[in-house]
Amino acid sequence: MNIVVCMKQVPDTTEVRIDPITGTLVREGIPSIINPDDKSGLEAALELKDEAGAKVTVLSMGPPQAELALREALAMGADEAILLSDRAFGGADTWATSSTLAAALRKLPHDLVVCGRQAIDGDTAQVGPQIAEHLGLPHVSYVSELRLEPEGKSVVVRRVFEDGYHMIRVKLPCLLTCLKDMNKPRYMSVGGVFDSYAKEVKVWSLADIDVDPANIGLKGSPTRVKQSFTKGAKSAGKVYEVDPKEGAKIIVERLKEKFII
Amino acid sequence: MNISDYKGVMVFAERRNGTVQKIAYELLGMGRGIADRLEEPLIAVLVGAGLGDAEAAELIAQGADKVVLIDHPDLGVYMTEPYTKALAKAIEAFRPGIVFIGASTIGRDLAPRVSARARTGLTADCTGLAVEDDTRNLLMTRPAFGGNIMATIVCPAHRPQMSTVRPGVMRKLERNPSRKGEVVRLDIEIGPADRNVEILEVVVEKAVKKNIEEATVLVSGGRGLGNVGNFRKLDALAGELGGLVSASRAVVDAGWTGQERQVGQTGKTVRPDLYLALGISGMIQHIAGMEDSEYIIAVNKNASAPIFEYADLGIVTDANKLVPALVEELREAKAAR
């Protein structure tokens, strides 16, 4: 079985701060990580490999430094890593990103394509389902459990909703988008780290995939950012620097005034 | 594509277990304003099995000019491909300039699949929607980069312009049963190739989890509380106030509580009468989920925490010490009544 895991290297956004003077993002010193949902998707793929045998390929689109995320995936146990990196891919929205990734997937044998539900820097949850559409594959998103059926021709997944879940059987080939709480990703092993440097992270450029240049990068993106800004704060209320007891009294007074209690 | 051929604002009216969801009415409330601004019709698309006239009438009462019913026995339970086919067909038939879909776990599955099929752009989780004066393009504003900045996105050369909107962000209209509208049925064929997954089991966990989006009072804890034990102490306070406990992303990431209680860009959008933020610093991604609350009280020992810029009342003190004091004060206030 061939499994391809799509991953994104993201800045650890829980660490991102706004510069209070310039109002811009402080990116310096922010560590990059494998996007958490994607990492759980990789773990799920590696568990299938442990259980039933599979070749696990990790695929990422990004700048050259995204190689680091792919090395980590190799050290966790992935067999092959491909980085799609070309200036022509830059500035892509989800539509263009998914058509680029789909073009790469057409060159890779895949019985199962695994993505994370969403990346923590964009939070769109769009790329996985859009890849599936470009490839004409069925997909199931919001997957919190995955098991391969005995004959190896289909998977059964638990698909989460706000108010419950579905158990769904889907035949291979298919695409799944995974939630980070579906498992606890393994750590890189010492041997794995060592081995990962013996493995090659292949870099594919535009010339290596078969895609219409009109469908990639900024030019191939239906949407674009017109403007970005930091949010203006609404007029702040009164702030009291007091001891806890006094603070509690002030709160209760206000709640009475507002008829909340 | 000639974009001037695409007119009207289409709303996907999400329906679960035979009930049209609140998000459908919220989208109609917001979409009504956009449609009026463009002087174009507002179209609701309702997909399901055994759709009733009363459901269509309610969508009209809540703002729709036209209701498109796509009724088929195989559309009773949400399944990606048949629903994608249905909505894509409605887009093809009515050529709307704009499509709004709720950013629920259904909408966020359906919308990208439909947008890829329609070869058009999609902007996720919009918190602000407006029409640009000169171009008449839709301006779609959403938190980006973990919610730390806001971005306004446009889709200038493709139609329809699609966006998802989170539940609780937009307000529905006052319902008007005398509003007039048209109801049309759109036939769809669903074959074995469309039923490309097999749903083995459907589990609805109604009312098992209390929904923080419905609460009128939220007592919300952040990483500043220090540990899970302190976070649990919020239960007593929420009990006194008749509210529920919610949390910041950091608290959910730390495993102190479940994701269903997370407020913010990647959690839920809430607008209770009272939002009491305890030990929450107030990153924009959190603010995005609670800033429309009626009355916001922030307690944090760090006087420079951004949360104070959004609070109606701020108390600079140790939230862990304030919580028991506040529980006591509330009990006394109750006893005095």
Side-chain angles (χ1 to χ4, degrees), chain A residues 16 39 51 60 69 95 109 130 146 153 184 209 256:
Chain A
V16 172
K39 199 168 181 178
E51 176 197 318
S60 186
W95 200 95
Q130 287 177 330
L146 162 65
K153 299 265 192 273
K184 198 169 182 306
I209 56 172
K256 282 182 189 160

Short mmCIF file of all heavy atoms in Angstrom, two decimals, chain A residues 16 39 51 60 69 95 109 130 146 153 184 209 256:
data_model
loop_
_atom_site.label_atom_id
_atom_site.label_comp_id
_atom_site.label_asym_id
_atom_site.label_seq_id
_atom_site.Cartn_x
_atom_site.Cartn_y
_atom_site.Cartn_z
N VAL A 16 3.34 33.57 18.23
CA VAL A 16 3.42 34.80 17.44
C VAL A 16 2.89 35.99 18.24
O VAL A 16 1.90 35.90 18.94
CB VAL A 16 2.63 34.65 16.13
CG1 VAL A 16 2.52 35.99 15.39
CG2 VAL A 16 3.31 33.63 15.23
N LYS A 39 0.75 16.28 11.49
CA LYS A 39 1.63 15.37 12.21
C LYS A 39 0.84 14.16 12.71
O LYS A 39 1.33 13.03 12.68
CB LYS A 39 2.29 16.10 13.39
CG LYS A 39 3.53 15.42 13.91
CD LYS A 39 4.28 16.34 14.85
CE LYS A 39 5.53 15.68 15.38
NZ LYS A 39 6.29 16.58 16.26
N GLU A 51 1.39 -1.80 11.05
CA GLU A 51 0.40 -2.86 11.20
C GLU A 51 0.30 -3.72 9.93
O GLU A 51 0.24 -4.94 10.01
CB GLU A 51 -0.93 -2.17 11.51
CG GLU A 51 -2.14 -3.05 11.61
CD GLU A 51 -3.41 -2.19 11.50
OE1 GLU A 51 -3.45 -1.10 12.11
OE2 GLU A 51 -4.35 -2.62 10.80
N SER A 60 5.34 17.99 0.74
CA SER A 60 5.07 19.33 1.25
C SER A 60 5.35 20.34 0.16
O SER A 60 6.20 20.13 -0.70
CB SER A 60 5.96 19.61 2.47
OG SER A 60 5.60 20.84 3.07
N ALA A 69 11.06 20.14 8.12
CA ALA A 69 9.84 19.43 8.54
C ALA A 69 9.81 18.04 7.91
O ALA A 69 9.42 17.06 8.55
CB ALA A 69 8.60 20.23 8.13
N TRP A 95 -6.82 27.22 -3.54
CA TRP A 95 -7.15 26.59 -4.83
C TRP A 95 -5.87 26.24 -5.59
O TRP A 95 -5.70 25.12 -6.07
CB TRP A 95 -8.02 27.53 -5.66
CG TRP A 95 -8.79 26.83 -6.74
CD1 TRP A 95 -10.08 26.39 -6.65
CD2 TRP A 95 -8.32 26.47 -8.04
NE1 TRP A 95 -10.44 25.77 -7.83
CE2 TRP A 95 -9.39 25.80 -8.69
CE3 TRP A 95 -7.11 26.62 -8.72
CZ2 TRP A 95 -9.28 25.31 -9.99
CZ3 TRP A 95 -7.00 26.12 -10.02
CH2 TRP A 95 -8.08 25.47 -10.64
N PRO A 109 2.39 7.07 -6.79
CA PRO A 109 1.34 6.08 -6.54
C PRO A 109 0.71 6.33 -5.17
O PRO A 109 1.42 6.60 -4.20
CB PRO A 109 2.09 4.74 -6.57
CG PRO A 109 3.54 5.06 -6.52
CD PRO A 109 3.72 6.50 -6.89
N GLN A 130 -10.02 20.06 -1.42
CA GLN A 130 -9.78 20.55 -2.78
C GLN A 130 -8.84 19.64 -3.56
O GLN A 130 -9.04 19.41 -4.75
CB GLN A 130 -9.24 21.99 -2.75
CG GLN A 130 -10.33 22.99 -2.35
CD GLN A 130 -9.85 24.42 -2.23
OE1 GLN A 130 -8.69 24.67 -1.90
NE2 GLN A 130 -10.73 25.38 -2.48
N LEU A 146 -9.09 5.82 12.62
CA LEU A 146 -8.88 5.22 11.30
C LEU A 146 -8.49 3.77 11.49
O LEU A 146 -7.63 3.46 12.32
CB LEU A 146 -7.74 5.99 10.59
CG LEU A 146 -7.05 5.35 9.40
CD1 LEU A 146 -8.01 5.17 8.24
CD2 LEU A 146 -5.86 6.20 8.97
N LYS A 153 -8.59 -3.19 1.32
CA LYS A 153 -9.15 -2.47 0.17
C LYS A 153 -9.96 -1.24 0.59
O LYS A 153 -10.39 -0.45 -0.25
CB LYS A 153 -10.09 -3.40 -0.63
CG LYS A 153 -9.41 -4.62 -1.21
CD LYS A 153 -8.98 -4.35 -2.64
CE LYS A 153 -8.55 -5.62 -3.35
NZ LYS A 153 -7.13 -5.93 -3.14
N LYS A 184 -1.28 10.34 19.35
CA LYS A 184 -0.16 11.10 19.90
C LYS A 184 1.04 10.77 19.03
O LYS A 184 1.55 9.65 19.08
CB LYS A 184 0.08 10.68 21.35
CG LYS A 184 0.91 11.66 22.15
CD LYS A 184 0.87 11.30 23.63
CE LYS A 184 1.64 12.28 24.48
NZ LYS A 184 3.02 12.50 24.08
N ILE A 209 6.62 18.55 -12.33
CA ILE A 209 5.21 18.12 -12.29
C ILE A 209 4.50 18.62 -13.53
O ILE A 209 4.95 19.56 -14.19
CB ILE A 209 4.48 18.62 -11.01
CG1 ILE A 209 4.56 20.15 -10.88
CG2 ILE A 209 5.04 17.94 -9.78
CD1 ILE A 209 3.70 20.70 -9.76
N LYS A 256 -24.60 43.86 39.34
CA LYS A 256 -25.91 44.31 39.82
C LYS A 256 -26.42 45.45 38.96
O LYS A 256 -27.58 45.45 38.54
CB LYS A 256 -25.80 44.78 41.28
CG LYS A 256 -25.75 43.65 42.30
CD LYS A 256 -25.69 44.24 43.70
CE LYS A 256 -25.44 43.19 44.75
NZ LYS A 256 -24.93 43.79 45.99
#
